Amino acid sequence: MKIKLVLLLFSFPFLDSNAQEFLDVAGGNASIVNTGTTKLEILSKSASGSAGVGFGDDNTVKAVTGYSGGDDLFKINHTPELTSNHLTIDNSGMIGLNSVPANARLFIKHNSTSGLSGSAHLEIQETGSSDFARLKFTNEGNTAQWTMAARSEDGSALLNFFYNDGTDFANILSLDGDLFRVGIRQTEPEAYLHIRQVDANVDALILENDDQTGGEKWGLRIEDDDLEFRFEGDLRAYISSATGAYTAVPPVSSSSNLRKASGTSEDEIMNTISQFDLRNPEDLKEMETVLPGLFHQAEGSENLLLDYSQLNVISLSALKKQKALYENQMEQLIEIDQKTKSLERRLAKLEETLKRN
């Protein structure tokens, strides 16, 4: 007589010696239960082999995740084998997308040149239609931060770069996508390049020639509503906002050198000559005793003749004195002009007040 044994399996536990871990299979599902830490170890017997778990449907593996011993990487691939590099993590936690990790915590390898605008390596999307998508840069332990904020709304497209010191923040650079304009400290640029000078005594624009002798800098700034041109920080010229007049300003350094020249031998010669009458023979003789070598005896005559070859130093001193006088007068004119502009501004404010009243 044959005996037929039918076993209906609803739950079949595999227990360890302490009955703490078991694999529960029921209804086609499996679970690993552990009162401590749930763990499933999948190991390769080969030193460079791979150990992974496959996933798929229709009896076909279509995705796999696991450890690739040949690459020493943990991988998640949408392929049947651990042979691709869709997402990889090395043993130091570096992550690679479409590549093994490089010298970055996250490395993305991608061809973005396809289509009208291409496909991005990384896309950051804001849920609000009119708000900004943001990318932030910080240092651990500091409250200060750099932020890139972009809004891709047509008609209000703006990319801002701003710095927040923990208390205040300021937009440093703004790009207007609708008008193709750039603003520096200006979020609504009115030109292709719009520089807003915020602080006094700071050039809005500097042009530097970095040659072998060092950097020579021309600066451009707005001061008291006038447009100033400065070289190495010294005012060289300005355009008046009131009259439009261009005024050149001699270098302050030359004036300083002239002042330092006072009391030199050239000035002493000039002062000495100015005390004598060059038409008087007696004065010439006395000058010759004070300034020997400036005169020579005329052949066959007792008259003294002036040695003009010695006048170069005297002429140079005279030119220096005239230049110093000119620069002093220019400084006075600049001071007068500044006072005049101040009075003009006060007068304009007074006129505006009277019109309102």
Side-chain angles (χ1 to χ4, degrees):
M1 183 177 65
K2 296 181 179 180
I3 300 175
K4 187 175 182 181
L5 178 64
V6 178
L7 176 64
L8 182 61
L9 178 64
F10 289 97
S11 179
F12 188 86
F14 295 87
L15 304 178
D16 67 358
S17 59
N18 297 320
Q20 297 295 312
E21 301 180 9
F22 62 89
L23 175 63
D24 188 15
V25 180
N29 297 318
S31 63
I32 299 174
V33 180
N34 186 346
T35 56
T37 302
T38 301
K39 178 173 62 175
L40 174 65
E41 295 179 352
I42 302 176
L43 304 176
S44 171
K45 292 183 179 180
S46 172
S48 60
S50 298
V53 177
F55 305 89
D57 60 6
D58 195 24
N59 286 327
T60 303
V61 175
K62 297 182 178 179
V64 64
T65 179
Y67 176 75
S68 175
D71 301 321
D72 196 19
L73 294 170
F74 180 81
K75 295 185 176 183
I76 298 177
N77 294 332
H78 204 281
T79 56
E81 302 290 340
L82 289 172
T83 54
S84 301
N85 295 314
H86 294 167
L87 187 150
T88 62
I89 305 175
D90 66 13
N91 55 17
S92 63
M94 299 289 191
I95 300 174
L97 297 179
N98 203 34
S99 172
V100 298
N103 295 325
R105 181 59 62 183
L106 175 62
F107 176 71
I108 303 174
K109 184 178 180 180
H110 172 59
N111 182 357
S112 63
T113 59
S114 60
L116 179 63
S117 58
S119 56
H121 285 68
L122 179 66
E123 181 176 347
I124 302 174
Q125 187 176 80
E126 165 65 29
T127 57
S129 60
S130 299
D131 207 345
F132 287 83
R134 303 172 191 273
L135 187 62
K136 187 183 297 184
F137 304 88
T138 62
N139 283 78
E140 186 176 5
N142 293 330
T143 58
Q145 65 185 40
W146 280 94
T147 301
M148 294 172 56
R151 181 175 58 209
S152 301
E153 182 182 10
D154 189 24
S156 186
L158 195 65
L159 173 61
N160 285 337
F161 296 78
F162 66 85
Y163 176 72
N164 189 332
D165 62 3
T167 303
D168 301 314
F169 76 92
N171 286 296
I172 298 175
L173 182 68
S174 299
L175 282 68
D176 190 318
D178 299 301
L179 301 176
F180 308 106
R181 297 174 181 177
V182 177
I184 298 177
R185 299 299 298 272
Q186 173 59 262
T187 57
E188 297 179 358
E190 300 174 14
Y192 288 121
L193 177 60
H194 185 159
I195 303 175
R196 178 170 170 255
Q197 182 181 309
V198 178
D199 302 315
N201 301 320
V202 178
D203 291 333
L205 178 66
I206 287 182
L207 302 176
E208 180 176 2
N209 175 25
D210 191 12
D211 59 18
Q212 295 180 354
T213 61
E216 283 77 30
K217 302 176 184 177
W218 274 99
L220 192 66
R221 74 171 67 167
I222 298 173
E223 198 77 27
D224 293 330
D225 298 330
D226 294 336
L227 183 61
E228 294 186 351
F229 300 85
R230 293 177 173 267
F231 183 74
E232 293 295 326
D234 294 331
L235 182 65
R236 290 298 177 85
Y238 66 92
I239 299 176
S240 172
S241 61
T243 64
Y246 173 86
T247 303
V249 180
V252 176
S253 57
S254 299
S255 178
S256 301
N257 292 335
L258 289 173
R259 295 189 184 97
K260 292 177 182 178
S262 61
T264 61
S265 59
E266 291 89 343
D267 289 328
E268 291 173 357
I269 293 174
M270 284 295 297
N271 292 334
T272 301
I273 292 178
S274 64
Q275 297 173 13
F276 295 93
D277 185 358
L278 297 180
R279 296 169 298 179
N280 189 338
E282 297 299 326
D283 280 7
L284 293 178
K285 290 181 180 180
E286 188 174 351
M287 283 180 60
E288 205 279 333
T289 60
V290 177
L291 300 172
L294 187 60
F295 297 89
H296 66 272
Q297 191 77 36
E299 184 177 356
S301 173
E302 295 183 355
N303 295 333
L304 291 174
L305 299 179
L306 183 64
D307 187 352
Y308 288 96
S309 65
Q310 302 297 321
L311 287 179
N312 291 336
V313 66
I314 299 173
S315 301
L316 178 60
S317 180
L319 289 174
K320 286 183 176 181
K321 282 185 175 293
Q322 290 296 322
K323 189 174 182 181
L325 178 62
Y326 167 77
E327 292 186 352
N328 183 54
Q329 292 174 342
M330 284 300 302
E331 290 176 357
Q332 293 177 3
L333 288 174
I334 293 173
E335 184 178 353
I336 292 173
D337 183 69
Q338 291 175 344
K339 291 180 179 179
T340 301
K341 289 189 294 183
S342 177
L343 291 173
E344 288 175 348
R345 289 194 294 269
R346 293 173 60 183
L347 179 60
K349 291 180 180 179
L350 181 58
E351 291 177 347
E352 185 177 352
T353 303
L354 290 174
K355 288 179 181 180
R356 289 199 300 265
N357 295 336

